């Protein structure tokens, strides 16, 4: 009887319309299981290593039996399809008793985890403003009295400066006893600023204080001359200055600093005006006709000139330094889900050999960073498209200026690089955590990552409990601070900001490889468990 040597190749099974590979294929170990199945199917014919000996007359029988076995499998087993899919039953059916207990347990556990997560993580957002009133004194406001202390006004008997400093010092001492919130007024000597009011502006610009009250050197002298000579051009607002930098944090300024300074200004005017008017009217040496020419010199007598060194304009800048940056986090987070299936094609042997895993890690890191490069450019171009200024020159530290940019015509490139490095810092952390915890827990990580970054970036940490001081090292805080610097020409700490972001990028780069190996180990373990479960059922 003639015998033929037949090699178990896919082409053989194509010609005979039967392919045992597809009967026993496992997605992760398809080829090895195919060979095993082949050996099982042909065990009756004998083996010689990996070569099977099959008689011509047996090929037809094998074809028919295998084909029939395949139909039997598809039709539902030995009964040839007589048994269809299980029919639906009621919720309280006895056959679902075990399943109901399992579902109830999983539901209760998941609900408990989510409730604990809500109470812990979301509380961090509520708590950031929990002690604002108690912490308002951390918003430092300099009170600097130059009145009568700078030539040629030395020797005059100042009355405006001493009165204002006395009022602010009493606020700091008395109001806490009455549980009245107040700003952190700090009286500074004029000599600390070389008797130069412009140096006080520089200190505010340098963010040494949130604002400053400056009593001008000629405040009392000009007021006295106005009532003595009837100077009709006298302007009460020339007596004092209020200086602040609005673009440092517009919300803190509008919500806390400026309202309380306006209240203080009103208190000063209401106290000084009547006192000064009574003092002047009691002086018979000043003719009433002279006083009639300068009613503004009697009451209120003094006022404040207002200087916002860097206004928060234009309004379209708001998303670039606040809510818009949340989407930078979200984009970095969801890029993991978009790109992972693409990267995994290198390690799935679908018609090609798999790539070395360490090389796949290198490729994936480079591809991720490159994707961030272009995604951050697209994000930055939105601000350019809506005409946020990016090419204005810088301005003096002591002058009130609108729309200055820190780097002139190069501002956009620096702004783009801030978003790029920031996206690396935010995104690589998301990549690593996603590989470690997996689905569905990555959604909880996203909420945690957004809340911790927003809480410490969009609100003044000075007003938060000390627990939040770690926020100075968080990525979004430094992205916001650097973005404000370049867009509004603020006091620059951009070197520190980039340093923090690069530190996040470096740490997460070091962790990237181990996290990839951990994810592969989890996937392989899951596949082994799935295969073992199928073997037990078989």
């Amino acid at each position: 009887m003639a015998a033929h040597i037949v090699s178990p190749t896919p082409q053989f099974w194509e010609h005979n319309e039967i392919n045992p590979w597809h009967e026993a294929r496992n997605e992760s170990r398809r080829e090895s299981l195919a060979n095993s199945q082949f050996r099982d199917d042909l065990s009756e014919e004998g083996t010689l290593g990996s070569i099977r000996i099959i008689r011509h007359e047996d090929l037809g029988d094998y074809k028919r039996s295998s084909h029939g076995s395949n139909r039997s499998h598809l039709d539902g087993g030995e009964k040839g399809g007589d048994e269809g899919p299980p029919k639906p039953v009621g919720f309280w059916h006895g056959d679902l008793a075990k399943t109901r207990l399992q579902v109830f347990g999983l539901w209760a556990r998941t609900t408990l985890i989510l409730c604990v997560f809500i109470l812990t993580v979301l509380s961090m957002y509520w708590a950031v403003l929990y002690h604002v009133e108690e912490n308002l004194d951390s918003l430092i406001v300099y009170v600097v009295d130059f009145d009568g202390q700078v030539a040629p006004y030395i020797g005059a008997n100042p009355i405006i400066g001493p009165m204002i400093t006395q009022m602010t010092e009493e606020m700091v001492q008395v109001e806490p006893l009455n549980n009245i919130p107040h700003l952190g007024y700090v009286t500074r000597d004029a000599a600390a600023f070389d008797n130069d009011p412009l140096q006080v502006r520089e200190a505010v610009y340098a963010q040494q204080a949130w604002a400053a009250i400056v009593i001008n050197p000629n405040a009392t002298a000009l007021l006295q001359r106005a009532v003595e000579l009837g100077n009709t051009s006298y302007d009460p607002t020339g007596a004092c200055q209020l200086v602040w930098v609005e673009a440092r944090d517009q919300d803190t300024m509008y919500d806390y600093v400026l309202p309380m300074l306006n209240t203080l200004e009103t208190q000063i005017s209401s106290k000084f005006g009547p006192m000064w008017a009574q003092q002047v009217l009691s002086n018979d040496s000043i003719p009433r006709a002279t006083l009639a020419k300068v009613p503004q010199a009697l009451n209120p007598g003094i006022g404040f000139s207002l200087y916002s060194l860097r206004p928060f304009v234009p309004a379209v800048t708001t998303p670039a330094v606040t809510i818009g940056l949340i989407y930078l986090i979200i984009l970095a987070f969801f890029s993991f889900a978009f790109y992972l299936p693409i990267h995994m094609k290198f390690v799935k042997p679908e018609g090609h050999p798999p790539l070395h895993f360490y090389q796949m890690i290198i490729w994936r890191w480079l591809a991720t960073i490159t994707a961030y490069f272009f995604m951050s450019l697209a994000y930055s171009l939105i601000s350019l498209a809506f005409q946020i200024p990016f090419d204005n020159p810088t301005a003096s530290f002591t002058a009130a200026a609108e729309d200055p940019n820190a780097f002139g015509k190069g501002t956009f490139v620096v702004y783009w690089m801030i978003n790029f490095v920031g996206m690396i810092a935010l995104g690589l952390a998301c990549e690593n955590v996603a590989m470690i915890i997996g689905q569905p827990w990555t959604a909880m990580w996203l909420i945690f990552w957004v809340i911790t970054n927003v809480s410490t970036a969009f609100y003044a940490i000075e007003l938060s409990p000390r627990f939040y001081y770690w926020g100075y090292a968080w990525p979004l805080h430094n992205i916001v601070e650097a973005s404000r610097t370049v867009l509004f020409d603020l006091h620059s700490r951009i070197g520190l900001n980039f340093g923090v972001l690069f530190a996040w990028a470096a740490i997460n780069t070091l962790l990237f490889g181990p996290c990839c190996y951990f994810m592969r180990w989890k996937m392989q373990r899951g596949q082994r468990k799935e295969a073992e479960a199928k073997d037990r059922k078989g």
Side-chain angles (χ1 to χ4, degrees), residues 24 46 53 74 94 134 232 251 257 262 281 318 338 344 381 423 448 469 535:
I53 301 177
L74 293 174
E134 291 85 343
T232 57
D251 292 329
V257 178
N262 290 336
L281 293 175
T318 302
F338 279 107
M344 294 304 292
L381 286 173
M423 203 168 192
F448 167 82
Y469 279 21
D535 291 342

Side-chain angles (χ1 to χ4, degrees), residues 168-190:
T168 56
E169 290 172 358
E170 287 178 353
M171 286 183 177
V172 173
Q173 296 173 2
V174 176
E175 289 187 350
L177 301 177
N178 299 323
N179 293 323
I180 301 175
H182 64 86
L183 298 174
Y185 297 109
V186 176
T187 302
R188 297 292 304 273
D189 190 85

